[in-house]
Amino acid sequence: MYQKFGVVEDYWVATGSTNIDKGRFDVTKDPNDLYVFRVPSLRNVAMTAPYFHDGSVPTLPEAVKVMGRVQLGITLSDADTGDIVAFLESLTGALPANFATAPTLPSGSIALKQP
């Protein structure tokens, strides 16, 4: 899914980004894609710091506060931020043991030209 980042406020002001990324616009040149980015799953989000497309926010609580501000136009209290972070942390699960292991391909799966 793709969504605009910075619905209420410019994201780079809230995140402190020094390089303003125009999102999908750079690829499509469609004005409707200005500041539109791919939205990843929230599964294991507590394990994926730093946050946002440019890694500009180092912690999950800070990312939650930025999202409240730039997407909803609200300033989240520390208690509300903590509740949201606790929910997001509940989406963390164990990764499969072979998560980062390259698969073993069957022999002959790639035909190479002989000289």
Side-chain angles (χ1 to χ4, degrees):
M1 162 172 61
Y2 291 89
Q3 293 292 321
K4 180 175 174 123
F5 186 28
V7 173
V8 178
E9 180 182 330
D10 294 333
Y11 79 83
W12 58 88
V13 174
T15 63
S17 297
T18 55
N19 183 15
I20 300 171
D21 187 335
K22 293 182 181 178
R24 298 249 332 127
F25 175 81
D26 286 338
V27 175
T28 67
K29 305 303 182 207
D30 181 344
N32 293 319
D33 285 340
L34 191 60
Y35 312 124
V36 170
F37 297 90
R38 183 179 173 277
V39 179
S41 165
L42 294 177
R43 178 88 168 136
N44 292 326
V45 69
M47 301 169 62
T48 61
Y51 296 95
F52 303 131
H53 64 282
D54 59 359
S56 59
V57 176
T59 68
L60 187 54
E62 187 178 349
V64 167
K65 286 186 178 220
V66 166
M67 291 301 286
R69 185 172 151 190
V70 304
Q71 298 301 100
L72 303 173
I74 61 174
T75 300
L76 293 169
S77 69
D78 289 341
D80 287 342
T81 300
D83 289 345
I84 294 168
V85 168
F87 166 73
L88 293 171
E89 288 173 341
S90 78
L91 302 176
T92 301
L95 294 175
N98 64 350
F99 177 74
T101 304
T104 302
L105 300 176
S107 63
S109 62
I110 299 175
L112 299 176
K113 283 187 174 183
Q114 296 296 324

